[in-house]
Amino acid sequence: MKKNDNLVTLDSFIDKEYGVKETQKREKFEQGYEEFKLGALIHEARITKRLTQSQLADKCGTTKAYISKVENDVKDVRVATLRKIIEEGLGGQLQLSIKL
């Protein structure tokens, strides 16, 4: 098998493309990643619970289109709505934390 010398670690790639930690460009990238991750977590939980977007929307009092936008990081979500999606829709518990 041929060895590919062009491979780099994900950390090296991110450093090269977005700068090292605590630079403005890197911070913006990491914030975007966290927002994307929230939608991915909701999507994964919905699939685990074997719910469609419509079923989840019905359970938490929103629309399928809204759930889709949240899952695909198109829509900012309020904490109150996020709590409804997680607690009423998915039967989970929202836990928030702050790192300083």
Side-chain angles (χ1 to χ4, degrees):
M1 195 180 329
K2 184 179 176 183
K3 183 178 176 187
N4 188 342
D5 293 326
N6 294 328
L7 293 178
V8 296
T9 66
L10 180 58
D11 287 335
S12 296
F13 174 79
I14 293 171
D15 286 347
K16 181 180 176 190
E17 294 296 316
Y18 299 99
V20 295
K21 290 184 184 267
E22 299 184 11
T23 60
Q24 186 176 9
K25 188 175 180 182
R26 176 68 171 263
E27 292 295 321
K28 186 175 178 182
F29 166 77
E30 293 195 4
Q31 179 183 357
Y33 172 72
E34 290 300 317
E35 292 166 3
F36 165 80
K37 189 166 72 171
L38 176 61
L41 289 169
I42 290 171
H43 176 263
E44 184 178 324
R46 178 179 61 77
I47 298 301
T48 299
K49 293 285 188 170
R50 295 186 171 140
L51 295 170
T52 65
Q53 288 178 339
S54 293
Q55 290 169 326
L56 177 56
D58 289 343
K59 286 177 145 242
C60 61
T62 189
T63 65
K64 176 192 178 296
Y66 187 86
I67 297 296
S68 177
K69 288 177 182 178
V70 170
E71 286 184 355
N72 291 295
D73 191 33
V74 174
K75 179 90 174 155
D76 288 335
V77 60
R78 294 175 44 132
V79 173
T81 307
L82 179 61
R83 184 176 306 280
K84 279 182 150 183
I85 291 169
I86 293 170
E87 294 179 358
E88 295 175 22
L90 296 168
Q93 181 181 16
L94 177 63
Q95 296 179 343
L96 301 172
S97 66
I98 297 173
K99 286 185 181 180
L100 299 175

